[in-house]
Amino acid sequence: MPLLNKLRTTGPGSPGGDTDMRSLAGLRTALTLFFALDGFLFAGWVVRIPAIKQQTGASAGDLGLALLGVSAGAVVTMTLTGRLCRRFGSHPVTVVSAVLLSLSIALPALTHSALALGLVLLVFGTAYGGINVAMNSAAVDLVAAMRRPVMPSFHAAFSLGGMLGAGLGGLVAAGLSPVAHLLGLTVAGLLLTAAAGPVLLRHPSPAAPEAVPAGERPRARLDGRSRRLVTVFGVIALCTAYGEGALADWGALHLEQDLHAHPGVAAAGYSLFALAMTAGRLSGTALLERLGQTRTLVAGGATAAVGMLLGALAPTVWLVLLGFAVTGLGLANIFPVAVARAGAVAGPGGVAGASTLGYGGMLLGPPAIGFLADWFSLPVALTTVAVLAAGAALIGYAARDA
C-alpha cells in the first residue's frame, strides 16, 4: 500500500488543511465508534449462546443450523449492500444498519425453539452484514483520504468492543437473564448510534486525494484481473472469518462443556481472544509499514494455526485460554488487510465481494463445527480453524506478487 504510507498533500497550514484534517478526524472517531458497537453487540449475543441453547433445548447440530441464520442473513445482505452504498452513500447505510442491528439483538432471547432462533438470527444477520460492508466501505474511503494504512485500527475497535461485550456478558451471565441483558444492549446500541450517527450523516465519504492517478482509483465495473484479486482476498478473509466465527460461537461452549469451566470463565475465553485481537490490530499499522502485507498475512496465519491447535486440544482451561489468545494475535490483521486491498481494487463493490466471501466462512463455520462435533467431538471440530488459518498463510504467500 505505498500510496497509503505517504502524507496528505494538503497540510494543516495550507488553505482548507485544518478543516479537512478536523473533518477526517471526526469521521475517524465516529467510524471507530460504529466498529466498536458492532463488536460489542455481537459479543453480547455470543456469550449468551449457552443459555439460549439451553432455553431452546437445541442439540449441537440444531444450534449449528440455527446459527446458520446469522451467516445466511449476512451473506445475502452483503451482496446488496455494496450497491446501496454506491447509490445512497456508505455513511447513511452504516447508520441505518446500526439501528437495525441494535433492535434485532434483543430477539434471540425471546425464542424457545431452534427454528424460531434461526429465523430471528436471520434478521440479526441481515443487519450485521449490512453494517459490516457499509462501515468497511466508509473506512476504505477514509484510509485513502488519510493516505496511511490505518484500517487495522478500525478493526481493533471492533475487537475492543467484542472484548468489552464479552467481559460484560461474563459478569452478568449468572445474575441477569438473557432477555434483560440483550434488551440492555439494544438501548446501548441506539444511544451510541444517536450520538455518532449525525457525524456520518453530515459528511459524505471523503474523495481520494487528487494526487492518486485516476487509473489507481477503484472502478465501478471490474475487469477479469480485478475480479480475481477480489476473489483471492475474499478467500483469505473467508479462512480467517471461519476462525473468528468458530471461536465466537463455540469457544465458550468448548470451555464449559469439554473442560467444565465456570460460565464466567467460559465467557472470558472469547473476551481474551478479543483482547489479543485488539492488541494485534492496534499495532497493525506499524506492523504493515514495517513488514508489508505478505509477511503480515503469512506470519498471522501460521501463528493462528499453532494457537488454535493448542486451544482445541489442550487438556486444561488455562492452556486453552492461552491458545485462544495466540489465535487472536495471529488472526488480528488478516481480515482487515484482505478487505482493505479488495476495497482499494474495486471500492464498495470490492469490499462487498471480499466480505461476502469472508463471511461465507461464518456461513460455513457454525454448521460445520456443529456437525463435526456431533460426528466426532467439539475439540476435533475446532482443529479445522487451524487448517484454514494455515491455508490463509499459504494463499497470502502465493498472492505476494498480486
Side-chain angles (χ1 to χ4, degrees):
M1 302 168 70
L3 287 171
L4 301 183
N5 292 330
K6 298 178 182 178
L7 297 176
R8 284 178 52 84
T9 55
T10 301
S14 57
D18 291 337
T19 301
D20 289 345
M21 293 302 291
R22 284 196 298 269
S23 176
L24 292 179
L27 285 176
R28 185 178 182 183
T29 299
L31 272 177
T32 298
L33 289 175
F34 278 109
F35 272 87
L37 175 65
D38 189 30
F40 181 77
L41 294 180
F42 186 75
W45 142 246
V46 162
V47 299
R48 301 316 297 246
I49 287 177
I52 293 176
K53 177 179 182 292
Q54 183 178 7
Q55 175 179 301
T56 59
S59 66
D62 291 338
L63 180 61
L65 287 174
L67 292 173
L68 184 64
V70 177
S71 301
V75 169
V76 170
T77 305
M78 285 173 177
T79 62
L80 303 175
T81 305
R83 299 174 189 173
L84 293 175
C85 289
R86 285 193 296 270
R87 181 170 182 179
F88 300 106
S90 56
H91 290 181
V93 178
T94 297
V95 174
V96 171
S97 298
V99 172
L100 181 57
L101 184 70
S102 299
L103 293 173
S104 63
I105 190 69
L107 298 178
L110 305 178
T111 62
H112 296 280
S113 70
L115 176 60
L117 178 62
L119 292 175
V120 301
L121 289 180
L122 189 65
V123 178
F124 177 70
T126 296
Y128 185 71
I131 194 173
N132 272 275
V133 170
M135 68 186 184
N136 273 291
S137 296
V140 167
D141 291 339
L142 186 57
V143 166
M146 295 182 68
R147 309 193 74 182
R148 291 195 65 224
V150 298
M151 191 70 166
S153 70
F154 294 114
H155 289 260
F158 174 86
S159 297
L160 179 60
M163 181 190 69
L164 294 175
L168 176 64
L171 289 175
V172 305
L176 200 62
S177 70
V179 173
H181 179 201
L182 298 185
L183 280 174
L185 295 184
T186 292
V187 173
L190 292 175
L191 289 175
L192 189 145
T193 302
V199 178
L200 295 189
L201 295 177
R202 283 196 302 267
H203 300 285
S205 296
E210 294 181 2
V212 179
E216 296 183 18
R217 295 178 187 176
R219 292 176 290 245
R221 292 184 178 274
L222 303 185
D223 57 26
R225 181 176 181 275
S226 297
R227 287 194 184 93
R228 289 192 294 273
L229 287 176
V230 169
T231 300
V232 166
F233 295 128
V235 170
I236 292 173
L238 181 152
C239 292
T240 57
Y242 180 99
E244 290 189 54
L247 279 172
D249 290 345
W250 297 99
L253 200 61
H254 171 50
L255 284 163
E256 191 172 337
Q257 171 183 292
D258 299 318
L259 297 169
H260 311 292
H262 183 274
V265 175
Y270 181 73
S271 182
L272 183 61
F273 169 76
L275 174 62
M277 290 198 78
T278 302
R281 286 171 170 173
L282 286 173
S283 61
T285 297
L287 194 66
L288 284 168
E289 290 175 334
R290 184 176 182 85
L291 299 181
Q293 294 172 5
T294 296
R295 281 185 287 181
T296 298
L297 291 176
V298 172
T303 300
V306 172
M308 198 59 229
L309 287 176
L310 180 64
L313 303 177
T316 65
V317 170
W318 301 113
L319 282 176
V320 170
L321 292 175
L322 175 62
F324 284 3
V326 173
T327 303
L329 285 173
L331 294 180
N333 293 303
I334 301 178
F335 191 95
V337 168
V339 171
R341 293 308 300 139
V345 169
V351 173
S355 297
T356 300
L357 278 172
Y359 286 99
M362 297 183 69
L363 175 66
L364 174 66
I369 296 290
F371 291 137
L372 289 172
D374 275 346
W375 294 336
F376 302 101
S377 68
L378 184 53
V380 170
L382 288 173
T383 61
T384 58
V385 174
V387 173
L388 290 185
L394 291 174
I395 296 170
Y397 181 75
R400 61 190 180 280
D401 296 326

